[in-house]
Amino acid sequence: MSANQGNENGGQDNSTQGASTKQLHKEYRERIISTYRPLHRELYQMTPGSFFVPSFLNAISENTEEGFRNIISEPSPGVLTFDMLQPQFCKMLVDEAENFENWVRETRTRILRPNTMNAYGSVLDDFGMERMLDKLMKDYILPMSTIFFPEVGGATLDYHHGYVVEYGTNRDDHIDFHVDDSEVTLNVCLGELFTGGEMFFRGVRCDKHLDSESESGEIYNYSQVPGRAVLHCGYHRHGALSTTSGHKVNMLLWCRSSVFREMRKYERNATSWCRVCKKEKEEKQRRFSVQRTSSQTDSSSPCFSQTDSCSP
Ligand SMILES: O=C(O)CCC(=O)C(=O)O
Ligand SMILES: [Fe+2]
C-alpha cells in the first residue's frame, strides 16, 4: 500500500506560496465572508465553556503532562484520543457546515474543497472561522503538542488549515492512505449516526520512507466517537475506511510550524521521528561500535598491523 501526500487545495503553505497567490486567496476568502450569512454566530468566537467538556478544560488549565495523561488514552504509539467537544457544539458545527453547503449551491459559488483527497467538505477558515481556529490551535492544542510531539515542531505550531469532511451516501466514501500536510493533526468526529469509517494508522514516516512496510506494533484501527478527539503527528500514515451507512462528519485542524518546515529544508541526515530513519541510524551506530571494538581489540593484541608477523 503506498501513501499519498495529502495537500491543501489552493495551497496555503506560508513558506512556498507566492505573494500573488496569497493575495488571490485572501480576496477569495473576503468575497465569501462578505456574502455568506452564518447560522450560528456564536461558533465564530472562542467560548471555551460552551465548546469544550469540563475534563478537557481542567487539563488545559492545569497544563502538566500528568494532567493531560489523565484525560488521554494512547491506544497505539502516537495516537492520542480524549474527550474534547460538547455535543451541542458538534451539532451546531454540523448545521453550520450544512448551511454553508446550501449557500454554495444556491448562489452557485465555486469553492475550494479542503484538500486533494476530498470532493466534499468545506474549509472553515474560508467562511469566517480562521481566528477562532487559530485560538483553538494556540491555546488548546499547542500545550499538548509541546509535550507529546516536540520532535515534529509541536512546540512551535503557528498556522493552520481547518475544515470539515463528510462521508456517506452522496458524499466521500473513504479517504485513501496518506500523510497530512501538517506537523500535528487534530481530528474530532462531530457525528452523526454512521457505521464503518474507522481510521487506520500505519506508523510515522518521513517523505523518503513513505512507502516502507509497517511493523505489527504500528498497525492500528480506530472507530471514532462523536466529541472525542484524535491527535496525531501529520507524518503518521493513516486513512479512513468506507462509511458503510449513515453520515460521518469530522472536523480537522492541520497544525503547522513554519520554524520546523524551515529547518527541514536544511536537513540532510536521518530524521529523529521516522521509524525507518531511526532504525537505519541505530544500525549504523551498531556497525560503527562493532568496528571500533574489533579495531581496539586488534590494536591491543600483540599483532595488529599487516606488517606484523605472528608466526614464531
Ligand atoms: O476522516 C477521517 O477520519 C480522516 C480525515 C483525514 O485524515 C484528513 O482529512 O486528513
Ligand atoms: Fe489525514
Side-chain angles (χ1 to χ4, degrees):
M1 186 160 54
S2 68
N4 303 318
Q5 166 71 61
N7 282 315
E8 175 181 343
N9 282 326
Q12 200 216 348
D13 185 330
N14 281 357
S15 54
T16 56
Q17 203 180 47
S20 62
T21 318
K22 259 187 196 151
Q23 182 58 26
L24 282 175
H25 200 255
K26 187 164 169 263
E27 287 167 12
Y28 162 79
R29 233 174 228 184
E30 282 167 358
R31 257 196 322 275
I32 294 177
I33 291 171
S34 65
T35 38
Y36 171 65
R37 302 184 98 203
L39 180 67
H40 297 297
R41 288 200 182 270
E42 58 271 49
L43 291 175
Y44 293 71
Q45 268 202 357
M46 173 57 70
T47 322
S50 50
F51 285 16
F52 305 119
V53 296
S55 55
F56 177 71
L57 284 173
N58 289 340
I60 291 292
S61 60
E62 199 180 309
N63 196 12
T64 62
E65 177 165 356
E66 196 193 347
F68 288 128
R69 288 217 183 266
N70 285 339
I71 60 158
I72 286 174
S73 80
E74 189 171 4
S76 175
V79 181
L80 311 184
T81 77
F82 51 93
D83 289 333
M84 185 182 187
L85 299 177
Q86 298 263 13
Q88 178 68 5
F89 174 87
C90 295
K91 165 116 187 50
M92 286 201 298
L93 191 52
V94 171
D95 292 347
E96 188 69 47
E98 193 181 313
N99 190 58
F100 178 68
E101 282 300 329
N102 290 340
W103 175 83
V104 167
R105 236 189 338 271
E106 281 158 18
T107 56
R108 296 170 183 247
T109 305
R110 286 191 51 179
I111 58 158
L112 292 168
R113 294 296 172 185
N115 56 52
T116 47
M117 304 170 292
N118 288 101
Y120 290 87
S122 36
V123 179
L124 299 170
D125 298 311
D126 287 345
F127 60 93
M129 291 197 193
E130 186 183 7
R131 281 177 61 181
M132 184 278 279
L133 292 175
D134 198 53
K135 223 171 157 36
L136 172 61
M137 179 183 74
K138 290 185 175 149
D139 296 349
Y140 298 89
I141 300 307
L142 188 61
M144 297 178 113
S145 58
T146 300
I147 294 173
F148 297 103
F149 299 105
E151 69 288 3
V152 290
T156 50
L157 302 177
D158 57 353
Y159 68 112
H160 74 266
H161 176 50
Y163 56 93
V164 291
V165 280
E166 300 184 42
Y167 303 90
T169 319
N170 300 328
R171 305 281 200 287
D172 286 310
D173 171 72
H174 68 283
I175 187 160
D176 288 333
F177 190 43
H178 67 282
V179 287
D180 296 336
D181 182 6
S182 73
E183 273 62 72
V184 175
T185 294
L186 171 75
N187 178 338
V188 200
C189 182
L190 302 174
E192 305 181 85
L193 287 174
F194 60 90
T195 56
E198 294 93 350
M199 292 188 75
F200 55 94
F201 289 92
R202 298 293 183 266
V204 178
R205 297 289 186 278
C206 68
D207 306 343
K208 195 172 128 202
H209 298 122
L210 220 48
D211 292 332
S212 62
E213 290 287 303
S214 308
E215 292 177 17
S216 60
E218 296 180 310
I219 298 175
Y220 177 68
N221 285 22
Y222 178 69
S223 296
Q224 283 184 281
V225 178
R228 195 162 172 88
V230 182
L231 193 68
H232 61 84
C233 157
Y235 310 104
H236 202 139
R237 301 175 301 173
H238 63 284
L241 302 175
S242 288
T243 296
T244 43
S245 71
H247 184 205
K248 177 178 102 165
V249 189
N250 287 354
M251 178 186 86
L252 282 114
L253 196 63
W254 282 0
C255 306
R256 299 158 171 164
S257 160
S258 38
V259 173
F260 182 75
R261 288 179 181 220
E262 196 56 31
M263 274 171 23
R264 282 197 74 189
K265 289 185 192 159
Y266 305 100
E267 197 171 62
R268 300 220 183 288
N269 301 323
T271 70
S272 61
W273 42 268
C274 163
R275 179 70 158 249
V276 180
C277 283
K278 220 177 186 168
K279 281 184 87 172
E280 284 179 359
K281 197 171 166 191
E282 281 164 6
E283 178 58 19
K284 242 189 216 160
Q285 278 168 346
R286 193 191 60 78
R287 266 191 267 132
F288 181 66
S289 73
V290 168
Q291 257 169 19
R292 262 185 53 173
T293 320
S294 70
S295 71
Q296 274 168 1
T297 318
D298 288 351
S299 63
S300 62
S301 73
C303 53
F304 56 85
S305 82
Q306 287 182 341
T307 51
D308 273 344
S309 163
C310 284
S311 18

